[in-house]
Amino acid sequence: QVQLVESGGGLVQAGGSLRLSCAASGRAFSINAMGWFRQAPGKEREFVAAISRSGYTIYADSVKGRFTISRDNAKNTVYLQMNSLKPEDTAVYFCAARWQAVATTGEYDYWGQGTQVTVSS
């Protein structure tokens, strides 16, 4: 089993930045892909970014050039640096992990509880 705990959400003005963190515990040393998803009120959950253990990254088009995903394997932690935030980035952000390769679908094995990000205009 793997447990994921997110932190770093909050309220920020448009154009501002936030950094989310997700710490994995349990059998986290075997995890390959870690990713971030988000869900806005009334909308379906959507993919944001993912990173493999070797550092391969993939992003949703809506966040390319603004968000950066990174990972510290020694700490079993993944980060999401969010810059140039827009009101449409407002959502609950979820960390996810899976044993297999990175994926943009929701087919992840483990999920965190989510952290709220609110961007005011």
Side-chain angles (χ1 to χ4, degrees):
Q1 283 285 9
V2 174
Q3 295 79 43
L4 303 174
V5 178
E6 304 101 331
S7 60
L11 173 64
V12 65
Q13 288 187 333
S17 299
L18 279 175
R19 189 194 194 204
L20 305 182
S21 299
C22 173
S25 61
R27 293 178 56 197
F29 61 91
S30 298
I31 284 291
N32 181 9
M34 296 189 75
W36 290 94
F37 290 76
R38 66 187 181 186
Q39 187 168 19
K43 295 187 177 182
E44 294 186 352
R45 182 177 60 193
E46 65 175 359
F47 170 77
V48 176
I51 185 169
S52 72
R53 176 166 284 274
S54 62
Y56 171 79
T57 58
I58 187 168
Y59 295 91
D61 288 342
S62 59
V63 306
K64 280 181 182 177
R66 300 188 299 122
F67 291 11
T68 302
I69 190 170
S70 61
R71 180 170 178 168
D72 185 333
N73 290 329
K75 295 182 178 180
N76 292 321
T77 300
V78 64
Y79 306 96
L80 186 67
Q81 178 66 44
M82 305 184 293
N83 298 329
S84 302
L85 283 161
K86 305 174 182 180
E88 50 264 44
D89 294 318
T90 295
V92 176
Y93 283 70
F94 297 91
C95 175
R98 56 182 267 160
W99 305 110
Q100 297 175 322
V102 295
T104 61
T105 65
E107 295 174 347
Y108 279 68
D109 301 301
Y110 303 99
W111 293 85
Q113 81 286 355
T115 186
Q116 177 70 46
V117 171
T118 303
V119 184
S120 63
S121 57

